[in-house]
Amino acid sequence: MLKRLPLTLKLLIITILAAALFSFIIDTYHNRQLYKLYESELLDTLKQQARIERLRFDYQIKFFMQISRVAANYPPLIRQLHSGKAGELKINLRRKPVWFPGRSLISSQVHPRLVMLLNPDGTIHNSFSTQLRSIPISLQPPSGYLLTHSIGQTMLSMIDNKPWVLATSGVYDEGVLQGYLMLASPLDAEFLSNAHRYDVAPNLTALVDVSGKEPVILASSNSELVPPGMPLGKIEKSYLVTGKEFFDYGSSDLPLHFISLQSKKKIDDKLNIVLHVANQQRNLQSAGLALVFILAIAGLTYRMRRLSREVAAFAREHLGVEISSQSADSLARLEHDIHLLEKKVVEVHEQEINKEKAEKQKARQQLHISEMRLYEFFNQADELIQSVSPEGDIRYVNQRWMDELGYTPDEIACINISSIVAQPCLIDHFKRLEQLADGGSPGLFESILVTRDGAQIEVEGSSHAHIEDGKLIEVHTIYRNVSMRKQLEREAREHREHLEHTQRLESLGVLAGGIAHDFNNILTTILGNAAIMSRHIPRQSEAYDRLQRVIESTERGGDLCKQMLAYAGKGKFMIRPINLSTMMQEITKLLSVSISKHVTLTYQLENELPSISGDAAQIQQVMMNLIINASEAIGDQRGEIHVSTGVIDAGPSLLDSCLANKPVPGSYVWIEVRDNGCGMSPEVQKKIFEPFFTTKLSGRGLGMSAILGIIKAHQGALKLTSAPGSGTTFTVYFPVSDKRTTPSLVDTETRPYMGSYPGKTVLVIDDEESIRELAVVLLNEQGIHTLEAVDGEDGIARFKEHMQHIDMVILDLTMPKLSGENCCREIRKLRPDVPVIIASGYSKETVSPRFLNHEVTAFLQKPYTPDAFYHVVHSIFDHRN
């Protein structure tokens, strides 16, 4: 029969059955959960009610204490004890005695059943009760009890096998004990029922004696249901006991529990009522759910019929297929229509897929061609190209990158960018990464990459971030190797600094030479005039001694000028062949007494050493100064100074690193002084050759500057190597002598010379008036007529005017308008035979190369003495005669 039913109806029946089964399972589960939940809530309610009943019970107990304290201060009660008449127990009183206060205390829910007024000795003075007919014998307390419990304390005690509550307070009149007031009440059903709440169904309350092995009921609010003496374990079978785990009340006489009881049958009845209501609600929900399913199936059937018509219309309109089904079952008809539509759609889809495959194949070919072009472009680029993940893993590099850094393609996947970037550049690399992740652009930057073998290359690069959905995907970086450019820049900077240092030293040399020249002119005037004056003063006079000291000071000033001229490379030299190894051996003894006793001097001298051309005294000064400075650098510590000599073919690269005046490449003899002293910082090395710079506490600071001047004057070079704590090495290079000599001027050895040449005429040309006056005075003393000229042009004019009468010309080298050199040449053109004496503060070796052979007759070094002046003049006149 079910087979004949339409599929829609079958589906409806199955759905209803499934809904009913599901509803039954859900109802059963919900009922169990609801039962547990309501049971838990009911237990919580009962426990809360038990707490309230316990508090009300405590309130009754505590109120007894309050009544006893208030009543003990009632004046009539005090007077009754003090002078009142004793009486016997009065029972079933409706009205209180006049000595007991407050009707409200008696008639309230908490009221004492027995009131006793006791004498100080514990005997009963008066008493009354609302219910008792006699006072229990055990209730009459001894005097010791009263003294101990006379402060209104509440006690629970067993009296005649029944629990009683007692409250006792002392009665005082002006601080004197008059007696005691005792309130008492049995803890029976009436007392316990007062603890019930009357706005809810009351629990049964009971007092339990827990002093024995098994708890026993002492009293309850319903003696019929829970009689005294019944064990608590028996009651728990029929009642739910609450409160005992929360409250304890007792005293030294009677430990008790106050508990609340609720019938389990009543609890089950309440829960069953709740479950019955819940079941009715679930049944209604199940019926509603079935109705919803029925409506849903009906709607689904309608939608399937409509969808079937839409499918037929779609097939007819877009695919050209007529779909018709005679099935009465809507679902079967829809299934047939969809099956036909599916076949047609598959055909169309296959055609679209074939077309799409062809387009994708063409796109893949074009993409492959583009990738190959891009790959070839990247690999042929001179730049280093890389792609790096945010974690630093290298994903792609070009061939240039691998060639520069030395990695193979298999190694690329195993390295991280942190091992490629040099350690000092890692912080800047991570800063750029953060900037790129935030959407910024770091621009052009510089960094250092480490190759596979540990070498470092300097690069210049730029980075671009690939970001999708706000997340950094890759960082693309292009590097350019700028190591060669950076090396050239450093070399250019070092060369520029070296050139600037050399130019500064040259400028200082020019300045020192100019100062020495001008200072020599001043010293010449002072020395000449002082010598002239000393001739006219007796030797025994004090003035003669003072003039000698002036002469000596002037000569020391001249020595200082010589040092300055030596720094400028314009000192006076006596040129001869010198063997540096031989010279070092000759001054060994002198050096041993000039250096510290803690310093060891060692030599490594070349035996077959070519000679150099130079002034032996000046070369010796260079060696002495270098070795003494090395000893001072070692100080009081033990150290070693090593001196060595040798010969070398010096090329431009070596000479460019030295301090020199454009030395010519060739063979050079070198001497090296190396110590293990304190060394020098780069700042000190830059200033050590400057005049007046010194690291000593005393000294003029001209030692090293003079050494450099002497070396430059000998066409040599000096190289300095030093570092703090590593000692210092000075290497001096002198060109090998070619045994050729330079024409020199007449030597001017000074010796006393006296003579007279009357009728002779001498032209004195000097821009310094004091120099001219001194020369005129000295010549006039010899009977020589003089002519004066203030500069070179004036000298030529005066020479032309008196050309036939002039026998000699004394010419200054440095003058305004026309220099002494050009003035000499003009005079030679006018009279080639006239003697010319050059007077200059520069040395003869500096001046001689500026003149041709026989242009200058003699040289006079400033500052000069009258004897030196006379010697030059007289030697020329004597030679001509």
Side-chain angles (χ1 to χ4, degrees):
M1 180 178 179
L2 291 175
K3 294 181 179 180
R4 300 177 182 178
L5 295 177
L7 183 59
T8 304
L9 188 56
K10 295 178 184 178
L11 182 61
L12 179 60
I13 294 172
I14 294 173
T15 302
I16 294 174
L17 294 176
L21 179 61
F22 178 76
S23 177
F24 174 76
I25 295 173
I26 293 298
D27 288 345
T28 303
Y29 174 76
H30 281 181
N31 289 343
R32 293 182 60 186
Q33 296 298 320
L34 181 62
Y35 184 88
K36 292 181 180 180
L37 178 62
Y38 190 74
E39 182 181 25
S40 176
E41 292 180 354
L42 183 59
L43 288 177
D44 291 340
T45 303
L46 294 177
K47 290 179 181 179
Q48 182 66 24
Q49 185 174 345
R51 291 189 182 97
I52 295 173
E53 290 170 344
R54 169 62 196 195
L55 292 175
R56 292 175 64 86
F57 176 76
D58 286 347
Y59 171 75
Q60 290 178 286
I61 300 299
K62 292 177 181 179
F63 196 67
F64 257 69
M65 176 183 65
Q66 295 176 3
I67 294 174
S68 65
R69 290 179 181 176
V70 173
N73 295 320
Y74 190 51
L77 186 143
I78 297 173
R79 287 195 299 271
Q80 178 67 27
L81 276 176
H82 187 265
S83 60
K85 182 180 179 181
E88 297 181 354
L89 174 63
K90 296 178 176 57
I91 60 173
N92 294 326
L93 291 179
R94 296 300 180 185
R95 301 178 67 180
K96 67 175 180 64
V98 294
W99 51 266
F100 192 75
R103 180 176 180 83
S104 59
L105 294 176
I106 303 300
S107 61
S108 63
Q109 293 181 1
V110 181
H111 60 277
R113 308 280 187 87
L114 175 62
V115 178
M116 291 189 295
L117 190 58
L118 305 178
N119 295 317
D121 58 359
T123 59
I124 298 175
H125 185 279
N126 287 94
S127 62
F128 73 92
S129 173
T130 58
Q131 295 179 355
L132 300 180
R133 295 184 178 274
S134 61
I135 299 176
I137 298 176
S138 59
L139 190 58
Q140 298 180 9
S143 60
Y145 173 87
L146 297 175
L147 292 175
T148 305
H149 303 83
S150 61
I151 56 174
Q153 183 175 355
T154 303
M155 292 290 296
L156 296 180
S157 299
M158 291 298 293
I159 300 174
D160 294 340
N161 295 323
K162 293 182 180 180
W164 281 67
V165 58
L166 305 176
T168 306
S169 294
V171 181
Y172 293 86
D173 185 13
E174 295 181 358
V176 179
L177 180 64
Q178 301 297 324
Y180 302 95
L181 176 64
M182 177 182 287
L183 306 181
S185 180
L187 296 179
D188 52 12
E190 181 181 355
F191 192 93
L192 292 174
S193 61
N194 288 334
H196 293 168
R197 291 182 60 187
Y198 295 102
D199 54 340
V200 296
N203 295 331
L204 290 177
T205 55
L207 291 176
V208 182
D209 182 7
V210 295
S211 59
K213 293 183 178 180
E214 183 179 3
V216 178
I217 300 297
L218 289 179
S220 67
S221 58
N222 192 331
S223 301
E224 296 179 356
L225 297 177
V226 183
M230 179 179 290
L232 182 61
K234 184 177 180 181
I235 296 175
E236 288 178 341
K237 296 179 180 179
S238 302
Y239 291 89
L240 178 65
V241 180
T242 56
K244 64 178 182 179
E245 63 271 33
F246 300 107
F247 302 101
D248 279 336
Y249 188 89
S251 64
S252 59
D253 295 336
L254 185 61
L256 299 177
H257 277 180
F258 180 86
I259 62 173
S260 295
L261 307 174
Q262 185 65 256
S263 175
K264 291 183 178 180
K265 183 177 183 302
K266 290 184 178 181
I267 295 175
D268 292 338
D269 292 341
K270 292 181 179 180
L271 291 176
N272 290 331
I273 292 173
V274 173
L275 293 179
H276 178 69
V277 175
N279 287 331
Q280 291 179 349
Q281 293 178 351
R282 297 299 180 187
N283 293 333
L284 291 176
Q285 291 176 359
S286 299
L289 182 63
L291 180 61
V292 170
F293 277 126
I294 293 172
L295 294 176
I297 293 298
L300 179 61
T301 302
Y302 171 75
R303 289 295 299 168
M304 285 190 294
R305 290 181 178 274
R306 184 174 178 180
L307 182 60
S308 179
R309 290 193 295 270
E310 291 177 355
V311 168
F314 177 82
R316 184 170 50 255
E317 180 178 354
H318 296 281
L319 303 178
V321 178
E322 189 67 32
I323 297 176
S324 60
S325 177
Q326 304 299 326
S327 176
D329 192 343
S330 301
L331 186 59
R333 183 169 61 251
L334 178 61
E335 181 181 4
H336 178 265
D337 295 345
I338 291 177
H339 179 69
L340 294 178
L341 179 62
E342 181 183 4
K343 290 176 63 177
K344 190 62 178 179
V345 168
V346 168
E347 293 177 2
V348 175
H349 182 63
E350 288 178 351
Q351 295 175 1
E352 294 293 334
I353 287 177
N354 293 333
K355 182 179 179 181
E356 185 178 356
K357 285 182 179 180
E359 292 176 354
K360 285 183 178 181
Q361 182 65 24
K362 183 178 179 181
R364 278 195 294 269
Q365 292 176 355
Q366 294 177 350
L367 180 60
H368 179 69
I369 294 173
S370 299
E371 288 178 349
M372 293 301 297
R373 289 175 180 172
L374 185 61
Y375 182 77
E376 184 178 358
F377 172 77
F378 280 164
N379 282 335
Q380 291 180 356
D382 291 334
E383 287 76 13
L384 287 70
I385 303 174
Q386 68 180 26
S387 293
V388 181
S389 69
E391 293 77 20
D393 298 327
I394 297 180
R395 295 178 176 174
Y396 170 78
V397 295
N398 66 340
Q399 187 62 40
R400 182 70 173 180
W401 191 98
M402 291 186 287
D403 294 340
E404 290 283 351
L405 298 183
Y407 288 96
T408 62
D410 296 335
E411 295 173 329
I412 296 300
C414 302
I415 59 176
N416 191 277
I417 191 65
S418 59
S419 62
I420 300 300
V421 179
Q423 193 69 25
C425 303
L426 276 178
I427 296 177
D428 293 335
H429 170 76
F430 290 122
K431 287 182 179 179
R432 288 193 297 270
L433 190 62
E434 293 178 359
Q435 187 176 1
L436 289 168
D438 295 336
S441 176
L444 193 64
F445 61 87
E446 294 183 353
S447 184
I448 300 176
L449 302 182
V450 182
T451 64
R452 189 176 185 273
D453 56 2
Q456 294 185 348
I457 59 173
E458 296 177 273
V459 295
E460 185 180 73
S462 60
S463 295
H464 172 71
H466 179 199
I467 298 176
E468 293 182 2
D469 299 331
K471 184 179 179 180
L472 181 64
I473 304 301
E474 276 186 344
V475 177
H476 309 296
T477 305
I478 299 177
Y479 293 115
R480 182 185 296 274
N481 190 342
V482 294
S483 299
M484 184 63 68
R485 189 188 75 188
K486 290 292 183 180
Q487 180 65 25
L488 294 176
E489 290 177 355
R490 283 192 293 269
E491 292 177 357
R493 183 169 61 253
E494 293 174 358
H495 180 72
R496 183 170 61 254
E497 292 176 354
H498 180 72
L499 180 61
E500 290 175 355
H501 183 64
T502 303
Q503 291 175 347
R504 183 167 63 253
L505 293 179
E506 291 178 354
S507 300
L508 290 173
V510 174
L511 177 63
I515 292 174
H517 176 269
D518 294 341
F519 195 46
N520 273 331
N521 288 338
I522 298 173
L523 293 177
T524 300
T525 302
I526 298 172
L527 184 61
N529 285 288
I532 292 172
M533 291 178 63
S534 66
R535 290 181 180 181
H536 298 85
I537 297 176
R539 292 179 178 270
Q540 295 78 14
S541 65
E542 182 181 357
Y544 182 83
D545 295 336
R546 294 187 179 277
L547 283 174
Q548 290 300 317
R549 282 194 287 271
V550 171
I551 293 172
E552 292 174 359
S553 299
T554 305
E555 289 175 348
R556 285 197 299 270
D559 293 337
L560 178 62
C561 287
K562 290 178 182 179
Q563 289 191 25
M564 296 177 66
L565 289 171
Y567 168 74
K570 301 175 181 179
K572 179 180 179 180
F573 301 125
M574 299 296 293
I575 305 300
R576 67 179 180 85
I578 299 172
N579 186 297
L580 291 181
S581 296
T582 304
M583 178 177 286
M584 285 303 306
Q585 293 173 352
E586 292 173 353
I587 65 174
T588 299
K589 293 184 178 179
L590 180 61
L591 289 172
S592 63
V593 299
S594 301
I595 63 176
S596 173
K597 301 297 182 182
H598 302 286
V599 176
T600 302
L601 190 60
T602 61
Y603 299 94
Q604 186 179 354
L605 306 177
E606 183 73 25
N607 293 327
E608 301 295 331
L609 195 67
S611 299
I612 64 170
S613 296
D615 187 293
Q618 298 290 344
I619 300 298
Q620 182 176 334
Q621 179 184 351
V622 171
M623 297 180 182
M624 292 283 292
N625 282 5
L626 289 178
I627 295 175
I628 292 173
N629 285 345
S631 175
E632 293 176 349
I634 296 174
D636 297 333
Q637 306 294 327
R638 291 193 175 275
E640 180 182 357
I641 300 175
H642 183 74
V643 181
S644 57
T645 58
V647 62
I648 188 174
D649 287 332
S653 59
L654 173 62
L655 297 176
D656 289 343
S657 64
C658 301
L659 296 173
N661 286 332
K662 298 179 180 179
V664 179
S667 296
Y668 281 79
V669 175
W670 56 267
I671 179 169
E672 181 183 270
V673 179
R674 183 175 73 250
D675 66 75
N676 58 356
C678 60
M680 290 182 285
S681 64
E683 291 76 14
V684 174
Q685 295 181 43
K686 291 180 180 179
K687 298 180 180 180
I688 190 173
F689 298 107
E690 296 180 1
F692 308 107
F693 176 80
T694 179
T695 58
K696 306 173 185 177
L697 297 177
S698 61
R700 295 189 300 270
L702 287 173
M704 294 306 300
S705 57
I707 286 175
L708 182 61
I710 293 171
I711 294 172
K712 289 182 177 180
H714 286 79
Q715 306 303 316
L718 175 64
K719 184 175 182 180
L720 168 61
T721 304
S722 182
S726 301
T728 303
T729 301
F730 284 96
T731 306
V732 182
Y733 299 92
F734 291 109
V736 174
S737 174
D738 56 2
K739 298 183 179 181
R740 291 180 297 178
T741 59
T742 302
S744 61
L745 303 176
V746 176
D747 193 9
T748 58
E749 293 182 0
T750 61
R751 64 178 183 270
Y753 189 94
M754 297 299 294
S756 176
Y757 297 93
K760 297 291 183 179
T761 301
V762 177
L763 175 60
V764 180
I765 306 175
D766 200 309
D767 60 325
E768 292 287 341
E769 184 178 359
S770 60
I771 300 295
R772 293 197 310 271
E773 291 178 353
L774 176 62
V776 169
V777 169
L778 294 176
L779 292 172
N780 289 339
E781 285 184 352
Q782 302 297 314
I784 300 175
H785 178 67
T786 57
L787 298 174
E788 298 182 47
V790 298
D791 54 43
E793 292 182 355
D794 186 31
I796 296 298
R798 299 283 287 177
F799 185 83
K800 289 179 179 180
E801 183 180 355
H802 304 280
M803 181 171 52
Q804 300 301 327
H805 304 288
I806 293 175
D807 300 298
M808 183 185 294
V809 177
I810 299 177
L811 180 63
D812 185 24
L813 184 62
T814 306
M815 294 184 297
K817 295 186 180 179
L818 188 66
S819 66
E821 182 182 350
N822 294 329
C823 183
C824 179
R825 291 192 176 95
E826 293 296 328
I827 290 174
R828 287 296 183 190
K829 291 178 182 179
L830 297 175
R831 274 189 60 186
D833 62 330
V834 65
V836 178
I837 300 175
I838 294 296
S840 176
Y842 298 120
S843 67
K844 179 179 66 175
E845 286 74 12
T846 304
V847 174
S848 295
R850 299 171 63 177
F851 296 93
L852 300 176
N853 292 339
H854 309 299
E855 280 189 341
V856 178
T857 307
F859 176 78
L860 186 60
Q861 174 76 54
K862 294 179 182 179
Y864 49 78
T865 63
D867 291 338
F869 181 82
Y870 290 147
H871 172 74
V872 174
V873 173
H874 292 171
S875 63
I876 294 176
F877 281 151
D878 291 344
H879 178 73
R880 293 180 66 86
N881 290 335

